[in-house]
Each structure stands twice: as C-alpha cells, then as structure tokens.
Amino acid sequence: MDRKSLIIGNWKMNLTHLEAIAVTQRLWYRLNPADFDRADVVIAPPFTCLRTLQTLILADRMPFALGAQHVHWEQDGAFTGEVSAGMLVKLDVGYVIVGHSERRAMFGEADELVRKRVRSVLSAGMTPVVCVGETVSQRESGETEMVVTTQLRGALRRLTAQQRADVVVAYEPVWAIGTGRHASADDAGEVCELLRNTVAAMGGPDAGEAVRILYGGSVNPGNIAGFMAKTHIDGALVGGASLDPDTFAAVIRYWM
Ligand code: PGA
C-alpha cells in the first residue's frame, strides 16, 4: 500500500500568533506544489495561533493542515484551562498530538488519559497523533519494545479496526527529543516495524498496512532522508527544526 508521507512541525510553546504568520508565510514561499504532492505538511502551533493560522491558510489557500498539541476528552464543562475536540474542529484542526513524552513526564499523562483523548479526537473527525517512546534508562535495560507496545496498546484499546487504521503513531525516543541525539535510522525503523505489527495484531493486517508511523526526536535536514528510506517510517514529527522556515522547508524537501 502507498502511504502518503506526513511531516508534522510541533512548535511546542514557541511563537506568538504574530510570529506564526511570518513563519508560516516564509515556509510556504519555500515550498512548491510537488512538495505537497509527496507529503502532507502539518503545522502544530500553540492554541493561541490556531485561529490566526486558520485564517491565513484559508485566505491564501495554503495546502498546510493544522495540528493541535493537546485536547481534553470531554466535549465541554468545568475544566479550567482545557480545550475540547469540538473547539479544535471549528478551527479546521485536522491532527491532534496526544501522549507526547513532555506531557507524560510533566503533566501526568497516563495511558488511560491518552486513550480517552484518542477517542475524543477520532469522534470529532480529526486524526490523533499518538506518541510513544522509551526513556534512556528503559532503553539501556532492554525495555524499549515492552514500553512502546504497552503505550500503543493502551492508546488503541476499545477502538474499531478502521479507527486503528486512522490514527498516526509517532515513535519518539525520549532521550532523542530536543537533545540533538537522534536514534539511528536502523533502530528507529525496527521499532516502527514493531509498532506497525502491533496495530496489525489489534486491528487486522489492513489497519497495519494503512497506519502512518512517524519518527520524532532531533530530526533535521541532515538526518531526515535516512529515516524516510525505511519501509516502516512514513514521516517525521519535528520539534526544534520546525521553528525556522528555512530549516523546516529543507526537512520537507529532503528528497530534492
Ligand atoms: P525535537 O522534538 O525535534 O526538537 O527533538 C521532537 C518532538 O518533541 O516532537
């Protein structure tokens, strides 16, 4: 099966809505239609930029998709500081990152909460980007496989086969995020194959074939091609390198 490449820029807590306009315009100027034929390109800015970028993307007919970095699982209610899937859909958000290791480590995001967010994102018609990954000590004690499959199984519990095919999975080793130390393409490719097999075991072979699996963790213009050459890696979740339009464009155009 042909899985379209997917490159997601996760801006984390960076850039105001004014800066977001300039960065998005500059990125767009550096890309051409062939880039978007090859890859879906998603910008996942802070919540405060979503409305602004929705307007910019619509007005200038930019082929970017919008992503959100977080969501609450309830539709509405007394949840101070939270944002619901329904609110994101109204802003044309297509993808929502869930289970990022920064949220797991700093905001107590356990597998059960990841699962609830995945369900609410899917119910609203958006695509969850489920992040899994091991810490350095888990890797050193040989627990990588167990950790990532447990996280993925937890996130995909009680979904239909179609829903399991519709998620995006991002393998992000915690020790590689924001450190400049990336996984080798071989290691990342093996873990992504394991994740695909896990989706196939839960949702059937078609779901395993269809699901898009990304690598994330210090992706940059110099290492992206190695990851993309791996059969089971369909794209990248890019943090630091997505903040600069020249660098992010070079990541997206790695094949040039
Ligand atoms: P990084 O972040 O590219 O800065 O390592 C990746 C991520 O956290 O998604």
Side-chain angles (χ1 to χ4, degrees), residues 1-247:
M1 174 187 284
D2 263 354
R3 293 180 295 267
K4 189 170 181 189
S5 299
L6 173 63
I7 311 278
I8 303 178
N10 172 14
W11 287 0
K12 307 192 180 183
M13 197 176 74
N14 293 290
L15 305 181
T16 67
H17 70 290
L18 298 173
E19 292 163 335
I21 294 174
V23 169
T24 303
Q25 280 175 328
R26 286 196 199 117
L27 178 65
W28 187 44
Y29 297 147
R30 283 156 182 74
L31 300 175
N32 64 39
D35 298 315
F36 294 97
D37 288 343
R38 290 183 65 105
D40 292 328
V41 182
V42 180
I43 298 172
F47 284 140
T48 49
C49 304
L50 285 172
R51 178 76 178 108
T52 308
L53 290 191
Q54 176 201 27
T55 307
L56 179 72
I57 286 169
L58 261 181
D60 284 348
R61 294 193 180 83
M62 297 177 179
F64 296 120
L66 269 183
Q69 300 174 20
H70 181 56
V71 68
H72 195 271
W73 54 88
E74 294 290 346
Q75 284 177 22
D76 44 44
F79 302 102
T80 301
E82 294 291 312
V83 168
S84 74
M87 295 169 184
L88 296 175
V89 161
K90 285 280 179 217
L91 294 169
D92 295 336
V93 168
Y95 295 80
V96 183
I97 299 169
V98 291
H100 191 283
S101 65
E102 286 154 12
R103 296 212 64 92
R104 290 181 194 261
M106 291 186 261
F107 303 100
E109 188 139 328
D111 287 346
E112 178 58 11
L113 299 188
V114 176
R115 187 188 68 78
K116 288 179 166 187
R117 294 186 216 282
V118 166
R119 277 176 73 100
S120 79
V121 170
L122 285 166
S123 307
M126 298 180 291
T127 302
V129 180
V130 179
C131 302
V132 301
E134 80 287 2
T135 62
V136 75
S137 64
Q138 288 166 335
R139 166 159 285 248
E140 281 164 1
S141 45
E143 292 170 37
T144 299
E145 290 189 8
M146 194 267 291
V147 169
V148 298
T149 52
T150 303
Q151 288 174 339
L152 186 57
R153 284 184 169 275
L156 301 188
R157 266 176 52 220
R158 291 194 240 142
L159 298 182
T160 64
Q162 185 59 52
Q163 287 175 317
R164 286 173 178 145
D166 288 344
V167 304
V168 167
V169 179
Y171 169 53
E172 297 208 304
V174 177
W175 48 271
I177 294 178
T179 58
R181 228 186 109 200
H182 60 87
S184 76
D186 284 345
D187 281 355
E190 275 174 29
V191 177
C192 291
E193 180 172 9
L194 172 74
L195 295 171
R196 188 176 305 289
N197 292 341
T198 304
V199 175
M202 295 181 81
D206 290 351
E209 264 299 299
V211 69
R212 289 195 284 185
I213 303 187
L214 316 181
Y215 168 76
S218 297
V219 170
N220 62 43
N223 61 29
I224 177 79
F227 294 114
M228 296 304 286
K230 296 290 164 189
T231 314
H232 295 287
I233 299 182
D234 305 309
L237 182 52
V238 187
S242 71
L243 293 171
D244 175 76
D246 286 316
T247 312

